[in-house]
Every structure is written in C-alpha cells, then in structure tokens.
Amino acid sequence: MTGHILGEPGTGAHMDDKAAIRINVGGFKKRLQSDTLSRFPETRLARLLHCQSKESILELCDDYDDTEKEFYFDRNPALFPYVLNFYNTGRLHVMAELCIFSFSQEIEYWGINEFFIDSCCSSAYHCRKMDQDREDWEDRSDEGSTTSSFDELLEFYNDASKFDKQLLGSARRRIWLMLDNPGYSVASRIISILSILVVLGSIATMCMNSMSEFSLLDSEGQPTEDPRFETVEHFGIGWFTLELVARFVVAPDLLHFFEHPLNVIDLVSILPFYLTLLINLVVESSPALANLGRVAQVLRLMRIFRILKLARHSTGLRSLGATLRNSYKEVGLLLLYLAVGVSFFSVMAYTVEKEDSEDLSTIPACWWWATVSMTTVGYGDVVPVSIAGKLTASACILAGILVVVLPITLIFNKFSLFYKRQKQLEIAMRSCDFDEGIKEVPSVNLRNYYAHKVKSLMASLSNMSRSSPSEHSLNESIH
C-alpha cells in the first residue's frame, strides 16, 4: 500500500477520524482533518479517505508522494481557499472579481455542487452565469456570421474569376453582376425596380381577373380573359423569360445554374404559362383530351409563385428563406408540440362535450376545434357550450400560446443571424470592382477571422468537457 495513513491494502481500514492528510494545490500546502472532509463524502478530497491502492488515489489526484504522504493537485491555488472555506463552513461564497466560468469549473472538479452556494451570493452568481452564457452565444453567432459571410464572399469571387477564361468574359461578368446583384450599380437598381413592378403588376392582374367587376363574357355567355389583362400577362411573361435567359447566358457555370434556389423560382414563375399553351394546343388538336383543360386551370393558379421572385430583390425574404431552411428542427419541435396539444385537448373536449354539442360529438371533429384554439385563430364555428368545455377551451388557448411562443424565439434568433450575415455579404459585394479584372480577394481582417476560429474551437472543447458526466454525477448514479 502507499502508506499506513490510509491503511494496509485489502484490510478495509480507513483513516482515523482525527487524522490529517497533506495536500498540495499548485504549491499551496495545507493539512486537513479527515473528520472535516468526511462531512461531505461526495467531494473529491473526502473520497481520498476511502482509497485502498495507489491506483485509486491517482484517479482522484495528479500525483502522490508515498514518503511524505502528500497529495498533489495541478489546480489554481488562488481558488482553493474558497474550497477550504466550504469544508469549514459548509457554504460557498463567490467574490465579485472572480471569473464565473473558472469558478464553476473549479467547484465541479472538487465535486462541490452549486447548491451549496450561500443565499447571499446565489442570485448574483446565477445571473452572472446566465449573462456569460448569453455573451458566449452572441460571440458564436457573430463568429458564424463572419465565417459564413467570408466563405460566401470567397465563393462569389470564385464565380467572378471564371469569366477571365471565357469568351467576352469582361462584358459577361458586367452583365452578370448587374442582373444578379441588385444595388451593385445604377443600371442594376433600375432593372431591380422594373422587375419588382412587373411582378406586382402580374399579381395584381391575376387578382383583378378573379373579380366579377372585371370579368367579360363571350358570345356563348362563358367567362373569357380581358384583353387588357392578357397584354399585361404577356408582357410579364416576356420580361421574366428575358431575365431568365439573360442570366443563364451570362452565368459563370451553366451546369450548376439551376442549383441556385432563386433561379429555380424564376423557372417556376414562367413554366405554368408555357405548359398551359402546350396543353391548349394539344386539346385543340385532339378533342378527346379535353380533360387536360382542367390541368391548364390548375397551372394558371401557379402564377402566384411569381411573388417569390421578390426574394431576389429583398434581403429580408432571402434571410427568411435561409432561416426556414436551417430551422427544420425548431419547426419540427413546434409541430410536435401542436400535435401533442391538439391530440390531448381534442380528447378532453370530446369527453366533456359529446352529450351537449353536436359539433364536438367525435374526436376527429374536435381536432379542428383544438387546432384553431391552440393556434389562437378562433373562428368560432365550433365552440363548447358546457362549463367544463369552456374551462377546457381556456386551458387549450393558454397552452397554445406557450407552445407557439417557445420555438418562435429560437427561430427569431436565427433570423437575426442570417439577416446580419446577408447585409454584410451585400455590402462586401457592392464594394467589389472588377473593371481591371480580379487581382486580389476582398479586404478581410484575417486576424479576426483566425481569432474567431480559435475561439470557436475552444468553446467547443469547453462545451464537451462540461457536457461529459462529472465524477460527482457518476458517483451519484453508482449509489
């Protein structure tokens, strides 16, 4: 065995309650009475009293001197007095000048729970810890924004550099920048404004065409298209087609052109018109295929997708799309909460209302009512009539507010991040000058970029260490 202080191996003997152990914490030496340590048997120092071999001792300390009977700990000696004060008083105190993150790690190492922090320090400690977590989150958000913007900016320059090896590359690059980057120049702003007006005009025409005040009848009394609306529609289709073809012709990489979501939207906005023309030609040549005319009516309704073309000219819409694309977990969580709530309250409503209300006589019928209530829409088409039903409805509405609000906060934080990143990217792109070709990448503070990378790595390692079960938690699970 390592020494008589802990007893001979295999004997099961423990240190006498009046004995003392010598510890050395980063050069800070102290003798501690075993009865003082035994008051808190789950802590690291108290567990040393029950070790029966040198191997078990070295699992709890960094080194052990069998001759001097001294335990060595490679920890911060400035924080160890707080641990000593805990053994003497049974309570932890936190000074204002301490780093909360370091203090939290230190007491976790010694096996001391935050529960022992005295009431005079507990409130300030937890508030400072929450503030630290929020600052870390904001730093990670800024780091993600800077890194993503930097990567996208490099991708933008990579696409622009492809024109140098192509025929009429300089002219094509100028047109590409003018069409794909609204706000890059005066010409691009004019094209952007014109495109927005055409989109809004096309949507307005489609809405007015559905109104009886603007409907026309043919000789047979059937509704027909107003020639003025047809003119606006054809002009819009011509403009959208010209935009898409021009972007495709000057694209730096034709093979990957339709991998960009905005280009897919441009294609979808004009595809229904040409498919409708094709179907009408087929129906006229083959009357037996007259049912295809219904397909043409459905395709005409797809013109509403043109409103998505505004995303090319709106930073907010692009940020919203990126947020939804990267928030599928939060959206799934929201749908799960709603599904659980709807299922629960629909059964409750059915139980208390099946004899009093015909509208809530089946559970599937109650699903509609629970969905409308939890989303706080409240159509009022189906309502409970009994007192128990109204109490159930009140609980359903309150639960719906909580269910909807909780994931929305996470989604909003992501939207703020993507909006900030998109604005940074647009500013960087508008400051680019390719008149004399590409000589260097845009000015980027590489020192800050590297610092963000290192900080992100350190934060990840810290989170891994904090997320792993502590020895204190393992000891609790064993017992």
Side-chain angles (χ1 to χ4, degrees):
M1 177 47 199
T2 60
H4 68 279
I5 190 171
L6 297 177
E8 296 299 327
T11 63
H14 300 295
M15 179 184 293
D16 183 74
D17 289 342
K18 299 299 182 180
I21 64 173
R22 300 171 61 182
I23 62 174
N24 187 326
V25 181
F28 179 86
K29 297 183 179 182
K30 187 70 175 178
R31 292 176 60 89
L32 296 176
Q33 298 296 324
S34 59
D35 57 349
T36 302
L37 301 180
S38 300
R39 295 169 54 201
F40 308 98
E42 303 299 329
T43 60
R44 182 179 290 265
L45 293 179
R47 291 162 60 191
L48 282 174
L49 305 178
H50 305 281
C51 292
Q52 296 295 315
S53 66
K54 189 170 184 178
E55 289 75 14
S56 61
I57 292 176
L58 293 179
E59 290 180 359
L60 298 175
C61 64
D62 296 303
D63 199 5
Y64 174 69
D65 188 346
D66 194 11
T67 305
E68 299 293 334
K69 308 298 185 293
E70 190 171 36
F71 303 90
Y72 294 89
F73 296 90
D74 187 14
R75 304 299 296 183
N76 187 352
L79 294 178
F80 189 68
Y82 295 92
V83 179
L84 291 179
N85 183 68
F86 164 74
Y87 281 109
N88 293 326
T89 65
R91 308 301 297 174
L92 278 172
H93 292 274
V94 187
M95 300 304 171
E97 65 273 8
L98 286 180
C99 172
I100 293 300
F101 180 72
S102 298
F103 183 80
S104 176
Q105 284 189 324
E106 196 69 17
I107 62 175
E108 181 181 2
Y109 173 81
W110 294 109
I112 303 173
N113 199 294
E114 293 180 354
F115 173 77
F116 291 104
I117 297 178
D118 206 352
S119 58
C120 60
C121 302
S122 177
S123 178
Y125 170 82
H126 290 291
C127 288
R128 289 174 60 190
K129 190 173 183 180
M130 291 177 61
D131 291 340
Q132 182 66 35
D133 292 339
R134 181 166 59 251
E135 290 175 3
D136 292 341
W137 184 90
E138 292 175 353
D139 290 340
R140 290 194 297 271
S141 299
D142 292 340
E143 185 275 332
S145 177
T146 303
T147 302
S148 300
S149 298
F150 182 74
D151 294 338
E152 291 186 20
L153 192 58
L154 289 181
E155 182 181 357
F156 168 73
Y157 261 74
N158 181 49
D159 290 339
S161 64
K162 295 178 181 179
F163 290 102
D164 292 334
K165 301 178 182 180
Q166 298 176 1
L167 182 63
L168 301 175
S170 179
R172 291 180 58 197
R173 179 165 54 210
R174 190 176 295 108
I175 299 174
W176 173 69
L177 292 170
M178 182 175 60
L179 294 176
D180 275 19
N181 295 278
Y184 181 78
S185 62
V186 176
S188 64
R189 291 188 181 94
I190 295 175
I191 293 175
S192 177
I193 294 174
L194 182 58
S195 181
I196 293 175
L197 292 177
V198 173
V199 171
L200 297 179
S202 177
I203 298 299
T205 299
M206 184 181 67
C207 296
M208 294 171 64
N209 193 40
S210 65
M211 300 171 62
S212 58
E213 294 85 349
F214 299 97
S215 61
L216 298 178
L217 302 178
D218 57 13
S219 57
E220 299 179 356
Q222 298 295 327
T224 183
E225 190 81 17
D226 192 318
R228 296 170 297 178
F229 295 159
E230 284 189 347
T231 301
V232 176
E233 175 70 10
H234 293 164
F235 175 79
I237 289 296
W239 174 261
F240 299 148
T241 304
L242 179 62
E243 269 190 323
L244 182 60
V245 172
R247 286 194 174 93
F248 181 77
V249 170
V250 301
D253 193 345
L254 299 180
L255 297 178
H256 300 87
F257 177 76
F258 286 107
E259 291 182 0
H260 198 287
L262 294 179
N263 295 330
V264 176
I265 292 175
D266 289 342
L267 178 63
V268 172
S269 65
I270 64 173
L271 198 59
F273 177 81
Y274 292 107
L275 290 178
T276 301
L277 288 180
L278 180 61
I279 291 174
N280 290 335
L281 291 176
V282 172
V283 171
E284 290 179 0
S285 60
S286 301
L289 300 176
N291 289 332
L292 287 177
R294 298 179 181 178
V295 178
Q297 294 295 328
V298 175
L299 291 175
R300 289 175 63 85
L301 296 177
M302 292 179 62
R303 292 181 295 177
I304 192 60
F305 286 106
R306 294 174 189 172
I307 196 68
L308 298 179
K309 286 176 64 66
L310 295 177
R312 187 181 293 276
H313 314 282
S314 171
T315 304
L317 286 178
R318 290 197 299 275
S319 302
L320 178 61
T323 302
L324 295 178
R325 186 171 61 252
N326 292 274
S327 300
Y328 62 93
K329 292 182 179 179
E330 289 79 5
V331 174
L333 188 64
L334 174 61
L335 295 178
L336 176 62
Y337 288 166
L338 286 175
V340 172
V342 167
S343 301
F344 177 79
F345 286 106
S346 61
V347 174
M348 291 285 294
Y350 167 74
T351 303
V352 300
E353 289 287 325
K354 61 181 179 179
E355 297 180 357
D356 299 326
S357 175
E358 296 181 357
D359 295 329
L360 300 174
S361 58
T362 63
I363 292 180
C366 294
W367 287 346
W368 167 253
W369 168 83
T371 302
V372 172
S373 299
M374 288 204 69
T375 54
T376 67
V377 175
Y379 287 116
D381 53 344
V382 180
V383 294
V385 295
S386 65
I387 296 178
K390 292 180 180 180
L391 293 176
T392 302
S394 300
C396 180
I397 295 171
L398 294 176
I401 294 175
L402 295 177
V403 163
V404 172
V405 166
L406 292 178
I408 291 299
T409 304
L410 302 176
I411 297 175
F412 174 76
N413 290 335
K414 284 194 174 184
F415 174 80
S416 300
L417 169 63
F418 284 111
Y419 184 80
K420 180 179 179 180
R421 187 185 72 181
Q422 193 65 37
K423 294 295 290 185
Q424 292 176 344
L425 185 61
E426 288 181 356
I427 294 174
M429 287 181 176
R430 290 173 185 176
S431 63
C432 300
D433 187 7
F434 300 103
D435 291 340
E436 298 180 0
I438 299 179
K439 298 181 180 180
E440 58 182 4
V441 296
S443 176
V444 178
N445 192 327
L446 294 179
R447 180 180 62 82
N448 289 342
Y449 177 72
Y450 176 75
H452 279 305
K453 284 290 188 181
V454 174
K455 189 173 183 179
S456 177
L457 176 61
M458 297 302 294
S460 300
L461 294 176
S462 175
N463 290 336
M464 290 175 60
S465 65
R466 283 189 290 177
S467 61
S468 62
S470 64
E471 293 181 356
H472 178 69
S473 300
L474 286 175
N475 190 71
E476 286 182 345
S477 63
I478 292 174
H479 289 80

